[in-house]
Amino acid sequence: MLDQETLRTFIRVAENSSFSKAAETLFKTPAAISYRIKMLEEDIGTQLFLRTTRTVQLTPAGMHLLEHCYQWLAWLDAMPGELQQINHGVERQVNIVVNNLLYSPTAVARLLAYLHQQFPLTQFLVSRQVYMGVWDSLLHGDFHLAIGATGSESLANDVSILKLGGISWRFIVPPGHPLAAGTGVLHEDQLRTYPAINVEDTSRNLTKRVAWLLPGQKEIKVPDLRSKLECHLQGLGVGFLPLTICQSYLHSGQLITREVINQRQPSPLSLAWHNHGGKAVAEIVALFQRRDPCILDFLHNVDIPA
């Protein structure tokens, strides 16, 4: 009923709004095209075209079928290559989660451009998560590989890791902030007066963690590092930023750094992946192992060698 020739005939009639024009492009007679469409309508038990003396137009059912015909034919055309790919150990789809500390559109685009060239039939999905949300996606979601999993130890027996390095932090305030004046180490009683600006952990199944918050201190949660940076520049609150992100603002004087009683320690990050991955996952791991140029943008904020 819906063999490839019938599907292609239906598409050609729909695109040309004419049996005769479709017949010309398919090197068939208009009668043959009309008969095939009529048999298709009888087989499925519904009208696909509204016929006039000059043209034919799709019915709502016909428009629905046309949309699916494009999908089916694309799937049929790609299927031989996909089957060969599967037999050669290449995944049909690879889902990648990236820590927000390492995420950048440029980094993602460069990696995807490389992967698409190497594995043109594999679909890639990239998600950005925060803190334990990275591990959550890898352990409880459908993700195959994590760029920037927190820590330097695996949280599961079937997950391997590669240490990437770490993030150094600086406590920063704008020059007009009350904490900007003076010297010496700031104590908790001085810090607690001002809200802590944090990016919220996106974990759903694992316990959420808070980057930095003192007992009794107000917290303002924002969705990403860019929002956090802007809040600090506006003097809305206090907290830590990765050194590589705030460095230019420290040089320009838009932010200053102060010493605090409990300095935030460097945060180690790792590449993590499921051991049962295929060739595409293995290739991504190899890119990070050799620090290939196409992945270096992910490591822009990593300032401590692994």
Side-chain angles (χ1 to χ4, degrees):
M1 178 176 65
L2 290 175
D3 59 88
Q4 287 197 51
E5 186 175 354
T6 297
L7 293 179
R8 297 184 192 280
T9 300
F10 169 76
I11 290 173
R12 199 60 58 87
V13 173
E15 290 176 340
N16 288 278
S17 298
S18 168
F19 289 123
S20 59
K21 290 180 180 178
E24 290 177 10
T25 61
L26 293 171
F27 304 102
K28 305 277 188 182
T29 65
I33 299 298
S34 179
Y35 177 78
R36 181 173 286 275
I37 296 300
K38 180 181 178 182
M39 289 298 98
L40 173 60
E41 290 177 322
E42 289 182 359
D43 285 341
I44 63 178
T46 191
Q47 188 175 6
L48 300 173
F49 290 99
L50 296 173
R51 296 159 174 80
T52 68
T53 55
R54 292 175 177 247
T55 62
V56 292
Q57 298 294 329
L58 287 169
T59 64
M63 288 187 285
H64 181 73
L65 178 61
L66 179 63
E67 179 182 346
H68 285 281
C69 281
Y70 287 128
Q71 297 172 358
W72 293 333
L73 287 178
W75 180 78
L76 289 170
D77 289 341
M79 182 52 59
E82 289 186 6
L83 294 177
Q84 293 175 20
Q85 166 178 297
I86 292 171
N87 272 348
H88 286 91
V90 179
E91 306 93 327
R92 290 187 62 250
Q93 179 161 335
V94 173
N95 299 332
I96 304 167
V97 57
V98 183
N99 191 314
N100 72 305
L101 293 172
L102 304 185
Y103 184 92
S104 83
T106 300
V108 171
R110 290 188 68 183
L111 176 61
L112 290 178
Y114 175 87
L115 293 174
H116 177 69
Q117 184 178 37
Q118 299 296 316
F119 309 101
L121 298 178
T122 299
Q123 296 188 35
F124 293 94
L125 180 149
V126 178
S127 172
R128 176 172 56 179
Q129 300 294 330
V130 178
Y131 217 154
M132 294 305 293
V134 180
W135 274 111
D136 198 346
S137 296
L138 191 65
L139 300 181
H140 300 286
D142 294 326
F143 286 81
H144 306 92
L145 180 140
I147 301 174
T150 54
S152 56
E153 301 290 338
S154 177
L155 298 187
N157 291 332
D158 68 334
V159 173
S160 297
I161 66 166
L162 171 70
K163 296 178 183 179
L164 297 178
I167 304 292
S168 285
W169 302 89
R170 293 293 183 272
F171 184 88
I172 48 86
V173 291
H177 195 278
L179 293 179
T183 59
V185 179
L186 296 172
H187 292 266
E188 290 188 359
D189 288 343
Q190 296 172 278
L191 302 174
R192 192 178 288 110
T193 306
Y194 307 98
I197 309 297
N198 285 321
V199 181
E200 184 174 13
D201 192 320
T202 56
S203 177
R204 294 183 178 183
N205 298 286
L206 302 176
T207 302
K208 290 178 180 285
R209 297 184 183 177
V210 178
W212 179 80
L213 183 67
L214 300 174
Q217 186 180 26
K218 178 181 177 181
E219 183 182 27
I220 297 176
K221 297 179 180 179
V222 295
D224 51 49
L225 280 173
R226 183 64 198 178
S227 300
K228 177 174 165 62
L229 172 62
E230 290 296 332
C231 287
H232 287 300
L233 290 169
Q234 295 296 324
L236 183 59
V238 297
F240 293 86
L241 278 174
L243 175 60
T244 51
I245 289 178
C246 65
Q247 189 74 70
S248 62
Y249 297 92
L250 295 174
H251 286 159
S252 67
Q254 292 175 272
L255 293 172
I256 65 171
T257 183
R258 291 294 310 272
E259 293 297 318
V260 297
I261 190 68
N262 290 311
Q263 183 68 31
R264 186 174 178 183
Q265 297 303 306
S267 301
L269 298 177
S270 300
L271 186 75
W273 66 96
H274 287 284
N275 296 332
H276 51 73
K279 289 187 176 180
V281 168
E283 179 63 18
I284 298 172
V285 173
L287 292 174
F288 279 89
Q289 287 175 329
R290 64 176 182 262
R291 302 281 170 136
D292 189 272
C294 80
I295 56 88
L296 290 182
D297 287 322
F298 283 111
L299 305 180
H300 177 70
N301 292 334
V302 177
D303 56 1
I304 301 175

